[in-house]
Amino acid sequence: MRAPGAGAASVVSLALLWLLGLPWTWSAVAALGVYVGSGGWRFLRIVCKTARRDLFGLSVLIRVRLELRRHQRAGHTIPRIFQAVVQRQPERLALVDAGTGECWTFVQLDAYSNAVANLFLQLGFAPGDVVAVFLEGRPEFVGLWLGLAKAGMEAALLNVNLRREPLAFCLGTSGAKALIFGGEMAAAVAEVSGHLGKSLIKFCSGDLGPEGILPDTHLLDPLLKEASTAPLAQIPSKGMDDRLFYIYTSGTTGLPKAAIVVHSRYYRMAAFGHHAYRMQAADVLYDCLPLYHSAGNIIGVGQCLIYGLTVVLRKKFSASRFWDDCIKYNCTVVQYIGEICRYLLKQPVRETERRHRVRLAVGNGLRPAIWEEFTQRFGVSQIGEFYGATECNCSIANMDGKVGSCGFNSRILPHVYPIRLVKVNEDTMELLRDAQGLCIPCQAGEPGLLVGQINQQDPLRRFDGYVSESATSKKIAHSVFSKGDSAYLSGDVLVMDELGYMYFRDRSGDTFRWRGENVSTTEVEGVLSRLLGQTDVAVYGVAVPGVEGKAGMAAIADPHSLLDPNAMYQELQKVLAPYARPIFLRLLPQVDTTGTFKIQKTRLQREGFDPRQTSDQLFFLDLKQGHYLPLNEVVYTRICSGAFSL
């Protein structure tokens, strides 16, 4: 960042002038001149432009650290912290179900969770036991895992989209002794019942589906009505570094992994969001994200449990109801993730979409291409974009609204929060190292893998990993910042500008090389989606026999068969470099997404451009003719034999 030798030259000049007898003030001015003239002006420019941002970020870091230290010294846990909130405001609304209109006050949530704790202890479960929770997002979901935590038990929060093999796998690897499922999940549970251990005790919560009660299943609601709602007489001896629950990765590239969430991690994630975006006790937060993931259950619900905000839940995102819900419940903060903002922009313009009181939208995955369009159309004054994952120790946050940025790292005090972008092999994502065996830091403008130095004694830098030890070890590298240290590997490629702002580039594996150039799938998806009126698009690389690299392929949602590939190509030529233009197209009714609105590409990549693998329409870009041709088995055979020039 600083010009070579600028600082040293200024110090030497200061000493020489002082020895020559000049007043120290003259010497200091002269030394400053030497510093600036030697290139130090660049550093001074960065200081002037980022000092305010960095000081605020430092104040947030210090505040969260002090709060965590206070709770650790007091032996608190998330349930104990929640108990203090209940005592402070028992009758305030804690959770609202936007789907049913049901409202829970803090004292009601406290009573329900107490009943859960008392019931499971009476049934013979013990602190440390794992209980799987498999139901849609509603107040009971929060009350269940919170009640289990009060009893010292650990909830495994299952993705409600899991079915068959993945569901059985997650249940098996969790080590759960019991399963609590919603009535709406009964069919999914019935499909895997034969693969579950006979010792697994099943409880059904909520209304039963058409299947009725499953064999060997207990109805939970009547049992909870009979259970005591009084606080536990004896509180389990748990602390902030003990396990709270497990959250499963979305499984876009293989079977999900159970990430360990300890009490301090839950607090840290919720606290950073609260202070970084200046949330207030009077705020009402709209949370339409899945509660089996950290964004909805920690960043969102955490504001309720830790800071006493009212949180409005909707079990499933609805673009048409989003702003109506915000108006009805006087929401001031909303959450987004993945493609939610794009889905909202696709909605017809309505007068009601600007009658809300929302001032802040918090989340990750907002594409830079639609950032300003979203804020201007809906009148949301602040975007709180952040980067992070349930298990990572290198989360960052955009605290000052820099368009397109997902956060920053200070260029003035980079060691205060030890994260770094390091160079990797572009094809294999293998870490590149210098002569001393350390990772090579990226310079401004160079894309690199985000890593965070691990310190298990520091709640802000610890890495708790996964239930699977092998999965945990794969996310740790050694001798990254210094000899013998350990660092968490995010698996994501970011780029940092001169001022320290960071921009998400790609997840590892989402970048592919074509014609000797790196193609960013995120960038191409954004361009295509914008050209096609915010249509769902998945871009990925596919191997072509006998051709180096991977050719770009775009799967585009075209439910009404209205897309004209060649009309689209005319526009693509204006906005995309030749190497970034998709060689293959696949038009399909819809593009699959995860529960957090991330595009799923695994199946699409596996099927490639082979027309025998799908009934969807396929097209191939004939570069000589300059337009797309329908791709059938004859064309496919010719491509694979090298008949076409790629």
Side-chain angles (χ1 to χ4, degrees), residues 190-479:
E191 288 179 339
V192 298
S193 287
H195 302 283
L196 305 180
K198 293 183 178 180
S199 61
L200 183 74
I201 305 173
K202 297 191 286 290
F203 298 91
C204 181
S205 169
D207 296 331
L208 295 173
E211 300 83 3
I213 187 168
L214 299 179
D216 302 322
T217 298
H218 306 277
L219 292 178
L220 182 64
D221 295 348
L223 295 174
L224 288 176
K225 286 182 180 179
E226 298 297 323
S228 170
T229 58
L232 294 181
Q234 186 173 356
I235 299 174
S237 56
K238 294 279 186 175
M240 291 295 278
D241 292 334
D242 287 311
R243 296 182 181 189
L244 177 61
F245 53 56
Y246 305 101
I247 284 181
Y248 287 81
T249 60
S250 55
T252 53
T253 54
L255 291 170
K257 302 187 295 288
I260 298 168
V261 178
V262 298
H263 291 257
S264 63
R265 175 167 293 278
Y266 189 99
Y267 190 96
R268 168 204 169 183
M269 293 176 71
F272 265 119
H274 187 85
H275 296 307
Y277 301 121
R278 297 184 174 91
M279 295 186 199
Q280 305 296 322
D283 279 325
V284 177
L285 186 146
Y286 184 66
D287 183 354
C288 59
L289 306 182
L291 298 187
Y292 51 78
H293 278 319
S294 55
N297 200 12
I298 304 180
I299 305 296
V301 171
Q303 307 308 321
C304 167
L305 303 185
I306 294 174
Y307 294 105
L309 276 66
T310 299
V311 173
V312 179
L313 302 173
R314 182 172 280 282
K315 66 181 181 181
K316 188 175 182 180
F317 163 70
S318 168
S320 61
R321 297 174 180 170
F322 189 92
W323 297 115
D324 291 339
D325 283 347
C326 291
I327 294 167
K328 180 177 180 179
Y329 296 106
N330 293 313
C331 298
T332 54
V333 180
V334 297
Q335 284 188 275
Y336 66 87
I337 197 168
E339 300 295 305
I340 279 181
C341 295
R342 184 168 61 84
Y343 294 149
L344 291 172
L345 285 170
K346 286 177 66 177
Q347 290 291 298
V349 175
R350 295 187 300 164
E351 180 269 335
T352 55
E353 68 187 27
R354 292 185 66 92
R355 280 175 35 205
H356 58 78
R357 297 175 54 224
V358 175
R359 73 171 196 285
L360 168 66
V362 177
N364 60 339
L366 175 56
R367 296 185 180 185
I370 63 171
W371 186 299
E372 291 178 293
E373 182 184 356
F374 179 84
T375 59
Q376 291 168 9
R377 173 173 165 179
F378 299 117
V380 177
S381 59
Q382 183 183 3
I383 297 294
E385 177 81 4
F386 63 86
Y387 167 85
T390 302
E391 68 275 29
C392 86
N393 70 343
C394 50
S395 301
I396 52 176
N398 181 336
M399 301 182 187
D400 59 354
K402 177 70 172 179
V403 174
S405 171
C406 59
F408 73 94
N409 194 31
S410 174
R411 302 297 308 277
I412 306 170
L413 300 168
H415 301 295
V416 169
Y417 190 55
I419 66 173
R420 183 176 291 175
L421 298 182
V422 297
K423 294 184 179 181
V424 293
N425 181 298
E426 295 172 344
D427 295 320
T428 65
M429 295 303 292
E430 182 182 356
L431 297 169
L432 300 181
R433 297 183 180 269
D434 59 19
Q436 286 73 44
L438 301 178
C439 289
I440 304 171
C442 294
Q443 300 301 311
E446 290 184 330
L449 183 74
L450 180 64
V451 298
Q453 194 173 48
I454 296 172
N455 180 351
Q456 290 301 103
Q457 307 309 312
D458 184 343
L460 302 185
R461 293 164 57 188
R462 62 182 290 150
F463 173 55
D464 299 292
Y466 311 94
V467 171
S468 166
E469 292 185 8
S470 63
T472 300
S473 63
K474 290 177 183 177
K475 299 292 284 187
I476 299 175
H478 301 285
S479 295

Side-chain angles (χ1 to χ4, degrees), residues 461-570:
R461 293 164 57 188
R462 62 182 290 150
F463 173 55
D464 299 292
Y466 311 94
V467 171
S468 166
E469 292 185 8
S470 63
T472 300
S473 63
K474 290 177 183 177
K475 299 292 284 187
I476 299 175
H478 301 285
S479 295
V480 175
F481 293 75
S482 59
K483 279 289 184 183
D485 72 356
S486 298
Y488 165 79
L489 305 175
S490 70
D492 292 329
V493 175
L494 284 75
V495 64
M496 183 173 69
D497 67 16
E498 185 185 23
L499 300 180
Y501 289 105
M502 291 192 180
Y503 303 84
F504 183 83
R505 178 66 63 87
D506 278 300
R507 285 183 171 81
S508 59
D510 276 2
T511 302
F512 61 90
R513 284 180 72 81
W514 181 243
R515 296 184 183 175
E517 299 283 353
N518 288 330
V519 180
S520 166
T521 60
T522 305
E523 178 186 354
V524 179
E525 285 168 354
V527 169
L528 281 169
S529 181
R530 188 170 64 252
L531 283 178
L532 300 173
Q534 308 304 338
T535 295
D536 285 350
V537 178
V539 173
Y540 44 96
V542 293
V544 181
V547 180
E548 183 180 355
K550 289 188 175 182
M553 185 165 185
I556 302 172
D558 184 29
H560 305 296
S561 301
L562 299 176
L563 179 64
D564 182 343
N566 290 310
M568 181 190 75
Y569 184 62
Q570 296 302 313

Side-chain angles (χ1 to χ4, degrees), residues 85-132:
V85 175
V86 175
Q87 292 173 357
R88 190 167 66 244
Q89 49 183 50
E91 299 304 325
R92 183 180 177 181
L93 285 181
L95 300 172
V96 177
D97 187 335
T100 64
E102 187 177 3
C103 299
W104 288 33
T105 64
F106 279 90
V107 73
Q108 287 174 319
L109 178 57
D110 184 46
Y112 183 90
S113 56
N114 284 342
V116 172
N118 283 307
L119 172 63
F120 276 81
L121 286 174
Q122 290 168 10
L123 291 174
F125 293 89
D129 285 346
V130 177
V131 176

Side-chain angles (χ1 to χ4, degrees), residues 626-646:
H627 61 76
Y628 285 103
L629 300 174
L631 202 168
N632 52 33
E633 288 191 36
V634 174
V635 175
Y636 173 78
T637 302
R638 294 185 65 198
I639 293 171
C640 294
S641 65
F644 288 97
S645 175
L646 298 179

